[in-house]
Structures are given as structure tokens and as C-alpha cells.
Amino acid sequence: TSVDKLDCIHESTETPDVYIVERLFSSSLVVVVSQSVPRRMNVYHFKKGTEICNYSYSNNILAVRLNRQRLVVCLEESIYIHNIKDMKLLKTLLNTPSNPSGLCALSINHSNSFLAYPGSDTIGEIIVYDANNLSTVTMIPAHDSPLAAITFSASGTKLASASERGTVIRVFSIPEGLRLFEFRRGMKRYVNISSLSFSPDAQFLCASSNTETVHIFKLEQHTPSWSAYVGKMFTAASSYLPAQVSGMMSQDRAFATVRLQMTGQKNVCALAIIQKLPRLLVASSDGQLFIYNIDPQDGGECTLVQKHRLFGSDKDLEETEKSELPEPPQACQSYAATVAIPTSGPVTATLTGYSEDGGAKKGEVIPEHEFAAGPVCLDDETEFPPVSIPCSGLMKKSS
């Protein structure tokens, strides 16, 4: 919510080797997977410090995605789709193409809940699946080489993708699967694109890689007169030019760019509105968060306005705490303040569990997780933890 400081909403050292953590919007529901038990997914209500449930799978968990309707768990060769309201396993997609990086995307728009994942491990095919109705929507032949990144727009009506070559980024309409835009990141070298992200209004798309440059593309249609003129020019020229060259002519280059202070590191980018201005956020694997200003009219080189450390030494934390002034009390406390209120220990109840179809197994203990009598002031009151039924128990051993 602020460029100058970060508010720590929750911190836990109980599981130090976490490699996957996913939060349901601004709610207290968090999904965690640790390196010590990589086949088990734990779902927590972090405000109350209770575990809602846990599931174990047949292989290591590579990715978890969730919205208000569905929770999706991706393994290397299978995908599990749960109903997030009671964590019931609804569908298991078995024998999916080998997906060692756990590449998948779930639309945050729960009214469609589109799920995208690789349809091949040799070429860039994308399977779009309807996780609400549990049916395949379409297959998109997006790239010649295997996929490296995919992401949905906030509405779920656009899907962006990049291949392992990393030179071209394409945007498709969903559910039709029609190509809408094609952007060229560069030609000089192949790169590993690690992150794609739309702006909230889907007018911009950012892409980060293992290089020092982050690209921001603008999704705009040219005026009809310009399109007609350019279309005629391309059509006339394409008969004289090689296919690769004529294809390049139809691709748009970056609208804005950022030159990072590091290179060779994996990083994640996102576009957001912070304090009423468009910003680019880049988080690097060494624990730094960079915030840049974007000129939405002219683009160009983005300006670095702030840098934060997501983790560091005790001295760094102390200096951060000293710089933060206490906020005046509020009638309805902020979400961060609500989380900070100490609560009594959870009351646990043990239930008999069972094995789900497809190999997902429920866990050992489910503490009760009823909500407090009073309302919890979330960042967005519509984004509350929807889980209402305990969903774990003693795990049966299958024969």
C-alpha cells in the first residue's frame, strides 16, 4: 500500500524450509509446502495460527494455485483440483506431459476459473481447462519450443505465454484461443523468462528473465486506418521476404523497460497501482524488492523510486523498525493490527480420514478453525477465507 515502507502482516519460523507459499488474496488463508516434506501441502489460517488441513500426494509438489473457488496442486505428471470451500478433491488430471518446473496458471476470476498448463514437453502447446465445470476448453499451439511462462489477466479473458527461447511473447483470447498480440523481447540471445504479469486492467504486460532487463508491453490495437495501411504494406512485402522476417515485422517491441542492478538471478515482476500511480515491482531471488515508476503515456526507461530488503540481518530489521512511526488507533483495526493480536491456542479435534481418488491423501490432524465472534478487518472484506468444514483426519494407509 506504500512505496516507502513494507508492512509485515505475518511472520513464522515454524517451517524454515518453505519453498512454496500461496495466499488467498488478502485473506488469512495460506498454503505452504516445505522442503522437508515436499509431498505434503498444509493449509493454514495464519491469523489464528491454526492448520485448516493438509494433503499428501504421490510425488513432490511443484506449484499451488488458488482462487475463491478452486485450489490446484501441480506435480510433474499430474494435476489435482480441489474445491476450496471444503477441500474436497474434485478432479485428478493424470499422465499430463512431463512438467518438471510445475508450470501452470489459474485465473483469479473465480467465475471462470480457467486453468492453463503445458500440453506437450517438446513444443509450446497450452491446454486451457475449465476448473469450475471440470472440462477442457481448448488447446492453443502457442510456440514451436516448450513453454517457459504462462499467466492469465485478472478477468481470465487473456492468456500470455513465452517459450524456452524467450524471444517472443504472445497473448491469446480466452476461451477462444485466438492470438491477439505478439511482442518481441529481443533477437540477440535466448533467455529464460521467469515471470509474466498483466496489469490489473490488462492494458500492460511485463516480462522478466535472467537478464538485466525487464520489458513492459502495451496491449493496444492500432486505429483501423493505420491497421489497414500497415496490413497492406506487410501483405505486399511478405511475398518478397523470408517467413521469419515478415513475421518479425508484425511484432511490437517493448513500450517501457527497466535496467536492473543485477543479472543472472531469477526474479519475479508485477504491475500494480500503489498510492494511485502505476508501478512495476521486481523481487529478486536474493531478497530484494525494487519499485519503479512507469510513464503510462510515453513509456521509455522506468525510474527506480525505492528498494527494500525482504529479509536481512537483525540490524537491518532494527533500523527498519526505528524508521516506522506508530499509527493512531482505529475504531476498526487494520488487518496487520488484527493479525498481531495474540490468540489462545487452538482446540483440536481428530477425525477419521480417508484416501482420495488419484493418490491425494488427507492428513493427520485438523484443528477447529471457526472464526472469531467479531468481524476480522481484512484488506478487502470480500476476500475472506472461505473454508468452512474441517477436512483432515487420521490418514488411512492404502494397501
Side-chain angles (χ1 to χ4, degrees):
T1 56
S2 171
V3 169
D4 294 329
K5 68 172 186 175
L6 302 178
D7 292 322
C8 182
I9 294 175
H10 174 69
E11 185 173 4
S12 172
T13 57
E14 295 179 4
T15 312
D17 53 353
V18 168
Y19 71 96
I20 291 176
V21 57
E22 292 286 341
R23 183 183 180 195
L24 179 62
F25 300 104
S26 60
S27 76
S28 298
L29 190 148
V30 172
V31 180
V32 173
V33 183
S34 70
Q35 292 177 345
S36 58
V37 193
R39 298 186 178 189
R40 187 174 70 194
M41 171 189 72
N42 299 83
V43 183
Y44 294 104
H45 187 298
F46 71 73
K47 174 194 169 290
K48 298 188 69 175
T50 60
E51 180 184 79
I52 295 172
C53 64
N54 66 73
Y55 266 80
S56 295
Y57 301 86
S58 59
N59 211 330
N60 290 358
I61 299 171
L62 302 179
V64 176
R65 301 286 183 263
L66 60 165
N67 64 24
R68 293 191 188 96
Q69 289 285 347
R70 298 291 180 256
L71 186 150
V72 175
V73 178
C74 180
L75 312 187
E76 182 171 355
E77 294 182 345
S78 57
I79 294 175
Y80 296 80
I81 301 173
H82 296 263
N83 179 15
I84 203 168
K85 286 179 167 51
D86 56 12
M87 282 303 296
K88 179 182 178 181
L89 181 64
L90 301 175
K91 184 73 173 181
T92 305
L93 304 176
L94 296 172
N95 302 316
T96 56
S98 179
N99 184 13
S101 63
L103 183 62
C104 63
L106 177 68
S107 167
I108 64 172
N109 183 358
H110 62 277
S111 65
N112 53 50
S113 291
F114 290 130
L115 170 67
Y117 60 92
S120 169
D121 57 358
T122 57
I123 59 175
E125 288 183 353
I126 303 173
I127 301 296
V128 179
Y129 189 86
D130 185 338
N132 281 348
N133 297 311
L134 306 177
S135 60
T136 301
V137 175
T138 188
M139 187 281 290
I140 302 173
H143 303 272
D144 293 333
S145 53
L147 296 171
I150 48 177
T151 190
F152 283 103
S153 62
S155 64
T157 57
K158 292 183 177 69
L159 176 70
S161 66
S163 72
E164 290 181 351
R165 292 183 178 179
T167 55
V168 174
I169 296 165
R170 296 188 171 108
V171 178
F172 302 90
S173 65
I174 300 299
E176 301 83 6
L178 302 176
R179 187 188 302 183
L180 300 176
F181 300 94
E182 190 168 88
F183 303 109
R184 179 159 291 278
R185 195 212 57 82
M187 291 180 57
K188 296 180 181 179
R189 52 181 170 172
Y190 291 165
V191 300
N192 298 319
I193 291 182
S194 55
S195 176
L196 289 173
S197 180
F198 284 96
S199 61
D201 60 3
Q203 295 300 304
F204 297 92
L205 173 69
C206 63
S208 64
S209 65
N210 60 334
T211 69
E212 69 283 357
T213 308
V214 176
H215 296 79
I216 301 174
F217 303 97
K218 192 171 185 178
L219 282 67
E220 59 179 353
Q221 299 286 358
H222 297 297
T223 60
S225 58
W226 171 249
S227 297
Y229 170 76
V230 172
K232 290 179 180 178
M233 183 184 71
F234 284 167
T235 302
S238 61
S239 59
Y240 301 99
L241 297 172
Q244 290 181 332
V245 177
S246 61
M248 269 181 342
M249 291 173 64
S250 63
Q251 296 164 354
D252 292 320
R253 291 190 172 273
F255 169 77
T257 57
V258 164
R259 304 284 291 184
L260 301 176
Q261 300 174 359
M262 73 285 187
T263 183
Q265 294 186 25
K266 182 178 180 179
N267 54 70
V268 176
C269 61
L271 295 165
I273 302 295
I274 303 176
Q275 296 173 316
K276 299 182 180 180
L277 292 176
R279 320 278 188 173
L280 171 70
L281 286 75
V282 181
S284 63
S285 57
D286 66 350
Q288 296 188 83
L289 175 66
F290 302 89
I291 303 177
Y292 296 86
N293 280 347
I294 304 169
D295 185 335
Q297 300 299 324
D298 300 325
E301 187 73 17
C302 298
T303 306
L304 177 65
V305 291
Q306 192 56 266
K307 180 171 66 172
H308 298 283
R309 283 208 64 81
L310 300 179
F311 51 83
S313 65
D314 292 338
K315 183 178 179 181
D316 294 334
L317 296 176
E318 289 174 1
E319 291 177 353
T320 302
E321 290 172 358
K322 288 179 182 178
S323 66
E324 294 180 357
L325 298 175
E327 296 182 0
Q330 302 172 347
C332 183
Q333 291 175 303
S334 69
Y335 188 35
T338 306
V339 172
I341 297 175
T343 57
S344 58
V347 179
T348 60
T350 304
L351 306 174
T352 304
Y354 58 91
S355 296
E356 293 280 8
D357 293 337
K361 299 179 181 178
K362 290 196 171 182
E364 297 180 347
V365 173
I366 312 185
E368 296 179 7
H369 57 282
E370 289 80 11
F371 298 111
V376 178
C377 298
L378 301 178
D379 295 341
D380 180 344
E381 287 296 341
T382 65
E383 296 177 345
F384 57 90
V387 178
S388 58
I389 301 174
C391 59
S392 290
L394 296 176
M395 186 172 63
K396 282 187 177 181
K397 292 185 178 179
S398 57
S399 58

